[in-house]
């Protein structure tokens, strides 16, 4: 047994090589299993994505995949999709809140104009109607068409009131009642400063 030590070394090397190959094959098999599990889990969670009420439910769904490989691209892609969806949801809620604020502002302007109209303060009514009409207010209640008609009506009534008061002003002036004429003309200017 001259070469017995050498043969023994070669056998040990062969055994080590075989163990390494078996270990490599086992690891590859585990990796394929992990890949398959992650794919199944993420696909299942992705189909349920819209049903989740909050991000923690989505994270709970994919937690098994996170446990297997937290940095796996399918896991990070899913979590990113959840974050994007939540961001879009927050943005949509904010946009809806802003829309409601704008609706409320527009309705307040419209109601103020209606109030002035009823008090026969036509100039103020016209001003508020025009602010409402020129603003970019959402109009779910259809006030815009009413406002257009009411502006026209208020302008007619204002013109009639101004004409009457102006005629009164001229009559007082012609009657040489200058103080009363000035007061009447001030009323005209107060009614329609233009």
């Amino acid at each position: 047994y001259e070469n017995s030590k050498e043969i023994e070394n070669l056998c040990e090397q062969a055994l080590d090589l075989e163990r390494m190959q078996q270990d490599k094959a086992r690891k590859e098999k585990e990796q394929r299993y992990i890949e398959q599990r992650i794919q199944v889990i993420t696909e299942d969670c992705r189909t349920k994505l819209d049903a989740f009420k909050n991000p923690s439910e989505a994270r709970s769904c994919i937690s098994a995949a996170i446990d297997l490989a937290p940095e796996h691209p399918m896991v990070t892609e899913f979590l990113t999709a959840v974050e994007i969806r939540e961001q879009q949801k927050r943005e949509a809620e904010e946009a809806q809140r802003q829309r409601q604020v704008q609706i409320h502002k527009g309705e307040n302007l419209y109601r103020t104009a209606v109030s002035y109209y009823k008090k026969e303060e036509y100039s103020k009514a016209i001003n508020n109607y025009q602010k409402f009409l020129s603003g970019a207010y959402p109009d779910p209640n259809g006030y815009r068409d009413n406002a257009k008609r009411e502006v026209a009506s208020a302008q007619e009534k204002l013109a009639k009131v101004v004409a009457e008061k102006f005629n009164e002003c001229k009559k007082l002036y012609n009657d040489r009642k200058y103080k009363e004429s000035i007061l009447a003309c001030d009323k005209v200017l107060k009614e329609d400063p233009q």
Side-chain angles (χ1 to χ4, degrees), residues 92-187:
E93 288 170 353
E94 178 61 21
Q96 180 62 22
R97 191 187 69 74
Q98 287 296 330
R99 184 176 188 278
Q100 289 301 320
V101 166
Q102 289 299 318
I103 288 171
H104 184 70
K105 285 180 181 179
E107 287 177 347
N108 282 344
L109 270 174
Y110 179 77
R111 285 189 194 109
T112 300
V114 168
S115 174
Y116 282 130
Y117 185 88
K118 288 178 180 177
K119 293 178 194 175
E120 297 182 359
E121 295 181 37
Y122 300 118
S123 185
K124 290 179 182 178
I126 291 167
N127 185 32
N128 280 279
Y129 281 131
Q130 288 175 337
K131 283 181 185 177
F132 171 73
L133 290 169
S134 66
Y137 302 107
D139 187 23
N141 298 317
Y143 293 144
R144 195 165 304 283
D145 291 336
N146 292 343
K148 289 175 186 175
R149 284 191 300 275
E150 290 168 5
V151 163
S153 173
Q155 287 172 333
E156 285 178 25
K157 290 183 179 191
L158 179 63
K160 185 178 177 184
V161 168
V162 167
E164 288 173 0
K165 290 187 179 186
F166 186 68
N167 285 339
E168 180 184 342
C169 171
K170 285 191 333 189
K171 182 182 180 300
L172 289 169
Y173 180 79
N174 290 337
D175 291 345
R176 297 184 181 260
K177 296 180 181 177
Y178 299 117
K179 187 175 182 180
E180 291 89 355
S181 173
I182 290 172
L183 292 173
C185 288
D186 283 345
K187 287 181 183 178

Side-chain angles (χ1 to χ4, degrees), residues 49-82:
L49 186 61
D50 290 333
F52 297 130
K53 293 182 179 107
N54 55 49
S56 61
E57 285 183 9
R59 281 185 180 77
S60 176
C61 178
I62 201 161
S63 64
I66 292 172
D67 293 342
L68 291 172
E71 300 298 319
H72 191 279
M74 291 178 127
V75 172
T76 56
E77 183 182 312
F78 177 80
L79 293 174
T80 301
V82 169

